[in-house]
Amino acid sequence: MSTGALLAQVGGPGRDAPRLKGPEPFTRETPAPPMQRQITDDVRRRRNYPDQPPLIPHSIEGYALDLNANKCLSCHSRKFTEQSQAPMISVTHYQDRDGNFLGGVSARRYACLACHVPQTAAPPLVENTFTDMDALTVPERRSR
């Protein structure tokens, strides 16, 4: 085992790793916790870590998302954002694995829920100390 893997398991120097425990013994079945309430106020939230895919700030109940249909694209694709006022999906969604731009959404970016998830009111399992880049940089000076 590498030193990095060992430190990651024990939480690194001077830090305790968060302990997420299940039932004792681990083979005992327990009921699943209740689903957390979704936040559907259409307010975009700040990201919790660099390159985090944006969370979904609205209800997606009943959305078709399969090989033949993608309800998300009816608002978020380049073609419909002016009409819907929804944020356009990133240009990276229109690239293949080699970085070539495509005429439509890449097949590897078609399943939105593989990365994007609805927001919920669930409390965080561990403290988040992420600081956004905008908070770290000096504001740009305005030319006079």
Side-chain angles (χ1 to χ4, degrees):
M1 180 181 291
S2 71
T3 305
L6 180 61
L7 287 175
Q9 287 183 5
V10 297
R15 292 192 292 183
D16 287 331
R19 304 287 182 224
L20 302 177
K21 295 178 70 173
E24 295 285 338
F26 73 91
T27 54
R28 189 182 75 192
E29 290 190 28
T30 58
M35 294 292 290
Q36 293 292 325
R37 181 182 61 83
Q38 287 189 14
I39 298 173
T40 57
D41 58 8
D42 283 339
V43 175
R44 292 168 65 186
R45 301 300 196 277
R46 191 174 58 83
R47 298 180 191 204
N48 293 309
Y49 56 88
D51 298 325
Q52 173 190 356
L55 298 172
I56 302 170
H58 57 79
S59 175
I60 58 170
E61 188 173 332
Y63 273 32
L65 186 56
D66 57 36
L67 290 175
N68 300 314
N70 184 329
K71 174 70 172 155
C72 303
L73 295 178
S74 66
C75 293
H76 294 280
S77 69
R78 289 184 291 196
K79 184 177 179 180
F80 298 115
T81 55
E82 185 176 345
Q83 174 186 335
S84 69
Q85 295 298 299
M88 183 180 77
I89 59 176
S90 167
V91 295
T92 60
H93 290 60
Y94 293 93
Q95 291 176 303
D96 65 14
R97 68 177 61 207
D98 297 320
N100 301 312
F101 283 95
L102 308 169
V105 174
S106 170
R108 64 192 193 107
R109 297 291 186 108
Y110 185 79
C112 306
L113 297 177
C115 299
H116 303 277
V117 296
Q119 298 175 130
T120 70
L125 297 174
V126 295
E127 178 186 2
N128 185 352
T129 59
F130 170 69
T131 303
D132 191 82
M133 187 68 184
D134 293 339
L136 298 174
T137 58
V138 177
E140 293 181 25
R141 296 183 184 179
R142 296 183 180 178
S143 59
R144 294 181 185 200

